[in-house]
Amino acid sequence: MSTWNPTNLPRQNARTFVVTGGGAGIGYFIAEQLASTGAEVIIAARSEERASRALETLSARDPHAKLGFIRLDLADPGSIESAAAEIAALTRVDGLILNAGLKPQTEHLTSVAGDELVFGTNQLGNFALIARTLPVLERTPGSRLVTMGSLGYTLAKLDPADVGHAGQPYRSLPFYTASKYAQMLTAFELDRRLRAAGSSTVSVIAHPGVAMDQLAPDRRPALPYVPWPAPRAIPARLFSQGKDAGAWPAVRAALDPRVNGGEMWGPRFLSSRGAPVRERLPRKLRTRDLAREIWDLSVSRTGLEPLTHGSSR
Ligand SMILES: NC(=O)c1ccc[n+]([C@@H]2O[C@H](COP(=O)([O-])OP(=O)(O)OC[C@H]3O[C@@H](n4cnc5c(N)ncnc54)[C@H](OP(=O)(O)O)[C@@H]3O)[C@@H](O)[C@H]2O)c1
């Protein structure tokens, strides 16, 4: 595992990757790193303005980069459907990097479908996108779905019978941690189903550790953050890293031939920063019953189910 160099990636000519949320943050750096391999990179993002700044920045860094844009709002089932149709029109999809995610919000908002916005975007939106794009991914042998997890799962309380935390005053953080945990359990459940169906597509989890905009290199106009000066950045780097390094586990999960389905990749040092490595799965992530319950809940909320090749509808 030590031979992987995140700053000298293997060439990926003629391969295509779709990166959700690639217009900002970690997603921008995933797109940048994948584009540096010669692969075609499609940014699927909600904000067209931010995505076009990202594309401008990527093109300025490499005028030969093969880039594209698909509009995707994970809080809107109609947008997911049309984004999936655009993804289906691509000749091949070697990897779908499910990076886009909504952080905890200050207000109690809902998705277009009426679900709490953070859970509705992160779990239900991504679930619907997986359901709508899985047949497309399975067309490309060896394709990968990379789900962006979070250490926040360790704090999550996830009750499939009460994902709305009924009767409690609204706080967004529990919805965020539950949504990331649900995404991770879904990714494992998906991989089990892919393996059972004999599919060559795999589902893998990556997480960025603790990744901050202000510790990342300057990428204007895409990322208008002023990097922290050394007296602030050096102590912050003890337990966190820039979003450029936060992208490394997802990029390795997408590219390294040694990655297998059902694995989790994250930063080496305290799972918070450093080189991307395969991580041990704690019991909380190995719970199959809860994963199936979250899967069933997501099917009933979205009206969609990811069906593997050979499954009948
Ligand atoms: N940073 C960390 O330390 C950390 C730790 C653990 C996990 N993560 C996970 O890593 C991922 C990226 O985090 P980040 O720190 O880079 O966050 P960020 O800077 O807030 O970027 C989030 C991205 O998600 C997109 N997004 C949000 N809502 C969306 C929606 N409804 N439809 C489509 N795209 C949407 C945003 O798109 P727009 O630009 O269009 O709004 C943006 O590109 C997230 O899944 C997050 O949960 C991050």
Side-chain angles (χ1 to χ4, degrees):
M1 289 208 287
S2 55
T3 54
W4 186 258
N5 180 350
T7 61
N8 184 18
L9 298 168
R11 296 296 297 168
Q12 304 289 324
N13 297 332
R15 301 186 83 204
T16 299
F17 296 89
V18 177
V19 182
T20 71
I26 296 166
Y28 166 82
F29 285 104
I30 294 172
E32 180 183 296
Q33 290 164 26
L34 289 175
S36 77
T37 67
E40 178 185 31
V41 176
I42 313 293
I43 289 179
R46 178 177 56 162
S47 158
E48 199 159 347
E49 195 186 326
R50 289 224 266 175
S52 63
R53 281 201 296 267
L55 295 173
E56 183 187 337
T57 309
L58 292 169
S59 300
R61 293 178 65 76
D62 177 4
H64 302 294
K66 289 171 263 170
L67 304 167
F69 168 71
I70 289 175
R71 208 189 112 67
L72 166 71
D73 183 349
L74 287 168
D76 178 353
S79 172
I80 295 168
E81 186 175 2
S82 34
E86 289 191 60
I87 293 171
L90 298 170
T91 312
R92 57 184 295 136
V93 183
D94 295 277
L96 172 59
I97 320 301
L98 298 165
N99 161 79
L102 198 60
K103 295 266 174 68
Q105 303 291 293
T106 49
E107 281 180 89
H108 187 174
L109 302 170
T110 53
S111 66
V112 170
D115 296 292
E116 187 280 333
L117 187 63
V118 175
F119 194 84
T121 302
N122 296 354
Q123 170 58 14
L124 302 177
N126 275 301
F127 189 86
L129 184 64
I130 294 168
R132 290 200 179 278
T133 55
L134 194 56
V136 183
L137 278 147
E138 286 198 284
R139 281 197 325 235
T140 305
S143 60
R144 298 182 185 183
L145 276 127
V146 179
T147 292
M148 189 61 94
S150 166
L151 291 177
Y153 85 85
T154 54
L155 306 171
K157 290 195 172 56
L158 182 58
D159 177 358
D162 182 26
V163 287
H165 305 279
Q168 294 174 37
Y170 181 72
R171 286 192 310 122
S172 191
L173 185 62
F175 285 92
Y176 176 76
T177 55
S179 72
K180 297 308 287 185
Y181 185 30
Q183 278 191 264
M184 296 164 89
L185 293 179
T186 297
F188 290 125
E189 179 65 21
L190 175 63
D191 194 69
R192 285 190 285 274
R193 289 174 187 237
L194 287 164
R195 300 287 66 72
S199 177
S200 73
T201 296
V202 298
S203 166
V204 189
I205 293 179
H207 78 85
V210 183
M212 309 181 76
D213 290 301
Q214 295 85 349
L215 294 178
D218 194 342
R219 289 292 188 267
R220 269 170 251 194
L223 306 180
Y225 297 101
V226 179
W228 280 334
R232 188 153 181 208
I234 290 168
R237 281 192 186 278
L238 288 176
F239 298 103
S240 53
Q241 58 187 351
K243 290 194 176 178
D244 53 329
W248 291 347
V251 172
R252 185 167 189 180
L255 300 186
D256 190 341
R258 287 160 291 192
V259 169
N260 301 299
E263 292 178 346
M264 179 166 79
W265 291 73
R268 182 191 296 275
F269 182 72
L270 295 176
S271 286
S272 299
R273 66 170 176 83
V277 294
R278 183 185 289 122
E279 293 199 357
R280 196 183 58 81
L281 298 183
R283 185 188 305 212
K284 192 167 180 178
L285 292 177
R286 284 185 276 118
T287 160
R288 295 186 176 205
D289 290 347
L290 182 57
R292 275 193 294 269
E293 287 180 67
I294 288 301
W295 182 280
D296 292 343
L297 171 94
S298 305
V299 171
S300 86
R301 289 284 180 93
T302 61
L304 295 167
E305 179 161 21
L307 295 174
T308 55
H309 184 69
S311 311
S312 55
R313 277 173 196 272

